[in-house]
Amino acid sequence: MTIRRRLIPYWLLAPGALWLLLFFVIPMGFMAQQALESGALLTGGFTFTWEWSNFPDSLSGNSEQIVRSFYYAGAATILALLISYPLAYAIAQQSGRWRLLLLFAVIAPFFTTYLIRTIAWKTILADQSPVIDVLQYVHLLPDDGRVLATSGAVIAGLTYNFLPFMILPIYASIERLDMRLIEAARDLYASSTQAFLRVTLPMTAPGIVAGVLLTFIPAFGDYVNATILGGTHQNMIGNKIQSLFLVERDYPEAAALSFLMMALILAVVVVYIRLAGTEAFMGEEGERA
Amino acid sequence: MTTSQRLRILVAAALMLATAVLVAACGGDSGNGGGEVQVAQGGKPSGEVTISNWPGYIDPGKDGTAAEFEKTSGVDTTYIEDVTGNTQFFGKLQPQLERGDSGGRSLFVVTNWLAKQMYDLGYLQQIDHADLKTVFQNINPQFVDDETDPGRKFSIPWQGGLTGIWVNTSEAPEIRSLKDLFDPKYKGRVTVLDEMRDTVPLIMQMQGADPTNFTTEDWEKAIDFLKQEADSGQIRRFTDNSYTEDLTSGNAIASIGWSGDASLIGRDDVEWRKPTDGCDTFFDQMVIPVGAPNTAAALAFMNFVYRPEVQADISAYVNYVTPVDGVKEVLAKKDPELANDPLIFPPPSFTRGCSEDPNPPGSEQQQQDITEQFQDVVTG
Amino acid sequence: MRWLRRNALRIYAGLAVLYMLIPIVVIAVFSFAETPKDKLNFAISNGFTLEYWQHAFAIQELNDALRTSLELAALATVISTAIGTLMALALVRYDFFGRRASNLLIILPMATPEIVMGASLLSLFIFYSAPLGFTTLLIAHVMFCISFVVVVVRSRLIGFDRSLEEAARDLGATPVQTFRYVTLPLILPGVFAAALLAFALSIDDFVISNFNSGTTVTFPLYVFGVALRGIPVQVNAIATMLFMVTAVAILLVVWQQRRAERMASVKPEQEKTDVLASPARA
């Protein structure tokens, strides 16, 4: 193989890798430096002291929020997956005109900004809204129950706000499904369920894996839904980091906690990819460059 | 994944991080700016100026105060409303102020306690009273002195207000004190501000502490109380100023909130009440940061808004407490109802005995501890 | 009953889309509600009015912020989609030294809390005395969009049938031609989906933009800012307008396409013209 050929992947990778190196990795370095500092802003500033204790310290004080974030993000991801898959499938089945329109409908809520969308939901789910009345009537809620300021509201908010992140990758994957394979399966006497489980699902696995990652990871660090739709005990780790950074001005702890969060998420991602199969995430081994 | 592949990833990640840390370490330590405090230069205003303020804190548009200032002084004025919150603003400006750079701003407005902290950190310039004749001619004697800036070395009042309780008079007309808020029959329908210096002083007063002399124990006792009420579900949530949404929709029948927020609440049966067992005032301040490009224009702006006619326009739009004398008389001609509103022109008796958005007592470290305790409850 | 079974998926899709659009309906409704100070309060206590629609562009700051956001999002989308697609190609097709590390690099930005990412990026810009404004915003937006683009495009590339490309090469096409005429059209739906996502991310970003915008105001920054003292009802009107304008634009584009097809009375070949036709056979 010629030298030129070997270099192709590097050329393709270069612009993105350079951008991320300059504008992500180096800022992470600043953050890492901060994570190892000690002191406080108002009492003489921060100094670099290899303060490794920031890491375990930040974990111990915030474990409740971390666990809660797992729970909320996890629940939202599963719900989003259940809602999105059939929708993505339906979109992929449509002809061009409807498909474009449907895809647009999926993205459209984003034109209204996160804050306004979530406040709209807050209005819809207000304690005295007709929606709540209905839920109480069918006994999904106790008579004096409410949805807002509970975990349910936060999870609902997360699910809604991250739906496009789940729908789009799954759609992209379903769209390239070769219908002839499904026809072949049916010809071989597979029922629709079997055809789905044995052919469609595995073939769209990369889309599912991508969707799950794109939903869970940012949802884990979210803080907006908890702020607007939650109450006093629905705070997620994102809220905690906001508080540490902006209000307490404890930059070292905020930075240390952020790294811990990233490490946790990476661990979850690695485990998930193992379970889902690495090909679904990284693709085949590819040409040896 | 084989062990050697795993090892390779780990090594790659470690290398990346190490390089990054080394590059960043060249940045040196962050900390106090140090050095001597600058005094803002006066002079004839000219050129251009950028002013940062809270949203909705000035009468806007082509006939608004900022435009008027531009016409009168000839200074090209850029007025931006990017102080979305004390902490947000501080968070994004701190790295620049640290290096003596204000991001192009010549003047901005933050609440008094933050102004004091910024001054202590060396982020603000001092102002010479000689440059502020109009200000000191017209400033309401009630507001000349401030705990956080005795002698007015670095801050000039912009607008202020009171923290009290908003009550839904249709559903809970009997709520008149802070203690009433915590009656179990209102469980889950009461909200409290997430701003420490507004909420905790009110609770401390409710618990009988002396507003002129809060002790650390007072603070801790109040914060414990709040934690209890949050755990039991009495407090629905700790809010920024979005409590107005909860009041409008009926989620909350009472909220600790600010006196000037009437226009944000979409119903007529919710009114602001000064609690019988405690009250708190806050005052936002104009300050000049280090590295401000056109301090002469900034000082001129300060003088400009202290003219009663100009301030009257601001007051009529913003509906908060004005620090300028003579505005009441100007407004009496245009809008007598406003002129008699005690929430805009509180008589001294109205604000006597109120706490003033105080910082926790003691050393900076003790203040930091109290802040952390409160934040633990808020982000529980 | 049979009709129900056959159309179950379509009915579900309709319901799901309705669910997605509920907030837009609410927002639209409240854009007609009269309020005392023209600030949003999500209550219908004073009746309805058209004034906010008539004066939708009355607030200069809103208009400026919106324009800034649209420009920013458009640019960020184009740049990040291009860069991200190239990266995805490299990561899926080739095995090279640093492949796994690069995969790690892609995931990390998504996993980083926005506030710390925004603040550290700010530190970087300040360290190098870069003036804060549109350019720094653009850099930041592209940065956080790349990862999402890569993940979406990659999921489309995986399992891609290379035989079509091999066939093209056998017929004498250069690698660039193969890419242009075979690969790109086939992955276009994935690239398009990624672009949509990038656009949505950029136009909606608050935290990172807040730190790195200097005195520039984007639409989310404007909204978060005025939320303190009351969101002008015009925001709702404009948001609804945006939605409707884009919907109508899409309808027009597609209607034009169908019309052109019918007039030419020639069915277009799937691969070449109609990107969004039935599933590609790849």
Side-chain angles (χ1 to χ4, degrees):
Chain A
M1 195 167 293
T2 65
I3 304 280
R4 268 192 69 200
R5 275 292 332 258
R6 289 188 73 161
L7 286 179
I8 290 183
Y10 294 107
W11 282 118
L12 291 174
L13 210 56
L18 207 63
W19 201 289
L20 285 176
L21 215 75
L22 275 175
F23 302 117
F24 177 72
V25 176
I26 297 188
M28 284 301 108
F30 278 99
M31 206 173 90
Q33 185 208 12
Q34 254 181 353
L36 295 172
E37 288 175 345
S38 59
L41 195 62
L42 291 169
T43 59
F46 301 105
T47 41
F48 190 79
T49 56
W50 293 102
E51 194 83 20
W52 295 102
S53 65
N54 282 333
F55 288 90
D57 283 348
S58 67
L59 187 62
S60 62
N62 302 303
S63 50
E64 196 180 328
Q65 285 85 353
I66 294 180
V67 168
R68 199 182 287 147
S69 297
F70 261 109
Y71 165 47
Y72 289 173
T77 306
I78 295 176
L79 279 171
L81 182 57
L82 292 173
I83 297 179
S84 302
Y85 197 96
L87 180 57
Y89 200 92
I91 298 180
Q93 279 193 330
Q94 298 305 315
S95 60
R97 160 179 54 189
W98 289 113
R99 193 188 289 186
L100 192 50
L101 217 52
L102 285 172
L103 280 177
F104 166 69
V106 165
I107 288 288
F110 273 73
F111 280 101
T112 58
T113 74
Y114 208 161
L115 182 68
I116 296 199
R117 294 202 280 291
T118 316
I119 296 183
W121 272 112
K122 188 174 170 189
T123 312
I124 298 171
L125 296 173
D127 287 4
Q128 297 170 347
S129 79
V131 174
I132 302 299
D133 289 338
V134 166
L135 288 173
Q136 284 174 343
Y137 185 69
V138 297
H139 292 303
L140 274 173
L141 271 183
D143 277 337
D144 57 352
R146 65 173 192 233
V147 172
L148 282 181
T150 64
S151 307
V154 181
I155 295 178
L158 282 169
T159 308
Y160 180 82
N161 278 306
F162 286 99
L163 270 176
F165 293 69
M166 182 68 83
I167 294 179
L168 288 172
I170 295 183
Y171 157 78
S173 196
I174 292 181
E175 202 271 350
R176 71 164 193 81
L177 200 59
D178 192 343
M179 285 312 192
R180 296 174 298 184
L181 288 167
I182 303 189
E183 285 167 29
R186 302 297 292 277
D187 286 344
L188 292 169
Y189 298 107
S191 68
S192 344
T193 327
Q194 281 175 323
F196 179 75
L197 288 173
R198 297 281 197 89
V199 180
T200 315
L201 213 49
M203 293 217 69
T204 54
I208 297 180
V209 171
V212 166
L213 289 178
L214 287 183
T215 305
F216 181 81
I217 297 179
F220 189 85
D222 186 74
Y223 70 98
V224 178
N225 287 286
T227 309
I228 300 181
L229 302 169
T232 53
H233 287 287
Q234 278 76 37
N235 290 293
M236 299 172 70
I237 196 68
N239 300 86
K240 202 68 205 193
I241 295 184
Q242 279 263 97
S243 162
L244 279 171
F245 190 87
L246 290 177
V247 185
E248 293 175 52
R249 270 105 51 128
D250 192 346
Y251 302 139
E253 190 175 336
L257 192 54
S258 301
F259 273 112
L260 269 163
M261 211 183 102
M262 286 158 71
L264 270 165
I265 292 183
L266 272 174
V268 169
V269 166
V270 165
V271 166
Y272 176 69
I273 290 178
R274 279 299 189 74
L275 291 174
T278 22
E279 308 80 48
F281 175 70
M282 299 224 303
E284 65 274 7
E285 272 305 303
E287 310 171 21
R288 280 232 132 247
Chain B
M1 221 188 278
T2 67
T3 328
S4 75
Q5 285 174 324
R6 236 182 289 233
L7 206 58
R8 269 205 277 161
I9 302 184
L10 234 55
V11 170
L15 265 175
M16 270 199 301
L17 205 56
T19 332
V21 175
L22 279 168
V23 170
C26 300
D29 304 322
S30 53
N32 270 334
E36 33 179 273
V37 186
Q38 293 175 263
V39 180
Q41 295 295 322
K44 187 147 167 45
S46 64
E48 27 180 59
V49 75
T50 301
I51 297 176
S52 275
N53 203 343
W54 298 68
Y57 229 2
I58 205 175
D59 51 321
K62 288 193 233 68
D63 307 314
T65 301
E68 253 184 76
F69 175 68
E70 191 172 75
K71 266 183 267 172
T72 328
S73 65
V75 176
D76 188 351
T77 312
T78 309
Y79 181 89
I80 44 177
E81 297 180 320
D82 63 345
V83 185
T84 52
N86 285 308
T87 52
Q88 295 270 16
F89 191 67
F90 183 82
K92 86 166 181 177
L93 224 51
Q94 193 264 340
Q96 291 177 280
L97 289 171
E98 191 60 46
R99 290 164 177 265
D101 171 26
S102 70
R105 301 170 179 81
S106 302
L107 187 149
F108 54 72
V109 176
V110 289
T111 311
N112 51 359
W113 58 266
L114 182 59
K116 169 149 178 39
Q117 285 183 344
M118 284 177 134
Y119 181 69
D120 289 340
L121 285 167
Y123 296 162
L124 301 178
Q125 298 192 37
Q126 274 184 354
I127 47 187
D128 191 343
H129 292 201
D131 294 320
L132 292 170
K133 295 216 183 58
T134 319
V135 170
F136 286 97
Q137 246 172 10
N138 296 331
I139 191 171
N140 188 327
Q142 265 181 279
F143 306 115
V144 168
D145 254 325
D146 190 311
E147 252 180 45
T148 56
D149 186 10
R152 293 263 158 241
K153 291 213 280 272
F154 54 87
S155 61
I156 298 292
W158 172 256
Q159 302 280 303
L162 293 120
T163 316
I165 23 185
W166 284 96
V167 177
N168 182 328
T169 53
S170 309
E171 293 203 44
E174 63 278 7
I175 297 183
R176 294 194 178 278
S177 69
L178 294 155
K179 204 151 162 43
D180 290 338
L181 278 181
F182 299 104
D183 189 327
K185 72 175 175 211
Y186 305 123
K187 182 160 150 177
R189 306 193 67 197
V190 165
T191 73
V192 153
L193 286 171
D194 66 357
E195 175 59 69
M196 178 175 79
R197 293 169 182 81
D198 287 322
T199 298
V200 181
L202 286 176
I203 303 296
M204 289 195 283
Q205 289 174 59
M206 179 190 89
Q207 292 178 324
D210 172 12
T212 56
N213 187 15
F214 291 128
T215 66
T216 308
E217 290 76 38
D218 290 334
W219 281 84
E220 291 181 343
K221 193 164 142 222
I223 295 177
D224 277 336
F225 175 79
L226 284 167
K227 178 161 174 29
Q228 264 179 287
E229 298 298 318
D231 285 342
S232 74
Q234 178 76 16
I235 298 179
R236 185 192 177 89
R237 59 183 195 107
F238 291 91
T239 70
D240 52 10
N241 86 318
S242 61
Y243 64 87
T244 52
E245 290 156 22
D246 286 317
L247 285 168
T248 306
S249 59
N251 295 336
I253 43 125
S255 302
I256 293 188
W258 295 304
S259 52
D261 280 347
S263 58
L264 297 176
I265 301 178
R267 50 200 295 173
D268 296 321
D269 58 353
V270 172
E271 70 176 25
W272 189 88
R273 293 181 178 169
K274 186 176 129 181
T276 52
D277 51 358
C279 64
D280 178 72
T281 62
F282 67 87
F283 232 102
D284 292 328
Q285 311 284 332
M286 295 187 275
V287 294
I288 299 185
V290 290
N294 190 346
T295 53
L299 291 163
F301 184 78
M302 289 181 177
N303 279 321
F304 186 70
V305 298
Y306 266 72
R307 299 189 197 173
E309 333 78 67
V310 178
Q311 182 73 201
D313 289 335
I314 300 179
S315 252
Y317 182 82
V318 170
N319 285 171
Y320 267 103
V321 176
T322 171
V324 178
D325 239 352
V327 176
K328 191 166 178 178
E329 289 71 22
V330 175
L331 274 184
K333 288 182 231 141
K334 282 195 275 191
D335 190 345
E337 202 180 305
L338 273 178
N340 292 319
D341 190 341
L343 294 182
I344 303 183
F345 301 101
S349 55
F350 201 68
T351 56
R352 188 174 302 136
C354 290
S355 54
E356 290 174 21
D357 253 22
N359 279 319
S363 68
E364 271 94 5
Q365 186 55 50
Q366 287 174 298
Q367 287 185 31
Q368 182 72 12
D369 288 338
I370 295 283
T371 308
E372 284 177 23
Q373 281 181 41
F374 182 73
Q375 287 305 115
D376 274 338
V377 176
V378 168
T379 59
Chain C
M1 194 56 210
R2 275 200 72 197
W3 176 87
L4 206 68
R5 277 194 70 194
R6 261 190 306 133
N7 288 299
L9 199 56
R10 230 168 279 178
I11 297 176
Y12 172 80
L15 287 171
V17 169
L18 233 66
Y19 165 66
M20 296 219 67
L21 295 178
I22 290 179
I24 300 218
V25 171
V26 172
I27 290 170
V29 164
F30 284 107
S31 68
F32 294 105
E34 168 82 57
T35 63
K37 278 221 163 171
D38 299 335
K39 307 278 176 163
L40 198 57
N41 56 23
F42 282 104
I44 311 200
S45 33
N46 293 58
F48 292 94
T49 171
L50 281 175
E51 66 176 277
Y52 305 114
W53 282 82
Q54 288 166 331
H55 302 279
F57 297 102
I59 306 179
Q60 196 50 38
E61 290 86 2
L62 213 196
N63 303 339
D64 291 340
L66 192 57
R67 194 169 357 121
T68 309
S69 271
L70 286 171
E71 284 171 7
L72 186 59
L75 273 171
T77 301
V78 166
I79 299 178
S80 63
T81 308
I83 295 183
T85 307
L86 293 176
M87 279 192 102
L89 279 166
L91 288 170
V92 174
R93 297 285 185 84
Y94 301 89
D95 190 13
F96 52 91
F97 178 74
R99 186 192 194 202
R100 291 188 189 266
S102 306
N103 274 315
L104 180 73
L105 187 59
I106 295 298
I107 295 282
L108 283 178
M110 289 193 285
T112 315
E114 286 200 307
I115 190 169
V116 200
M117 189 146 71
S120 353
L121 196 54
L122 178 66
S123 303
L124 176 76
F125 288 137
I126 296 196
F127 187 71
Y128 290 107
S129 305
L132 299 173
F134 191 86
T135 317
T136 50
L137 272 174
L138 184 60
I139 292 177
H141 280 222
V142 170
M143 185 269 290
F144 66 70
C145 285
I146 291 182
S147 311
F148 289 86
V149 171
V150 171
V151 174
V152 174
V153 176
R154 181 165 57 190
S155 70
R156 169 91 185 170
L157 275 174
I158 292 172
F160 187 92
D161 186 357
R162 310 297 295 276
S163 56
L164 283 165
E165 294 178 333
E166 287 166 26
R169 254 179 330 231
D170 287 343
L171 291 168
T174 69
V176 178
Q177 285 175 321
T178 316
F179 180 75
R180 236 186 102 195
Y181 294 110
V182 179
T183 320
L184 195 55
L186 287 171
I187 61 169
L188 210 50
V191 173
F192 183 67
L196 276 180
L197 197 58
F199 188 83
L201 278 172
S202 168
I203 205 162
D204 215 31
D205 179 70
F206 172 70
V207 180
I208 299 187
S209 301
N210 187 37
F211 279 98
N212 295 290
S213 59
T215 52
T216 312
V217 184
T218 66
F219 188 52
L221 283 176
Y222 174 78
V223 173
F224 271 75
V226 289
L228 265 191
R229 299 296 314 149
I231 301 173
V233 186
Q234 278 90 342
V235 170
N236 275 21
I238 289 193
T240 315
M241 223 186 274
L242 261 176
F243 174 74
M244 285 187 338
V245 163
T246 325
V248 168
I250 291 179
L251 274 169
L252 277 173
V253 162
V254 180
W255 180 68
Q256 267 293 53
Q257 208 173 31
R258 306 288 279 191
R259 234 175 125 237
E261 285 169 29
R262 244 182 312 198
M263 290 181 75
S265 53
V266 167
K267 273 222 174 322
E269 297 164 44
Q270 277 173 352
E271 259 90 295
K272 270 216 305 189
T273 47
D274 197 348
V275 164
L276 299 156
S278 38
R281 313 260 175 230

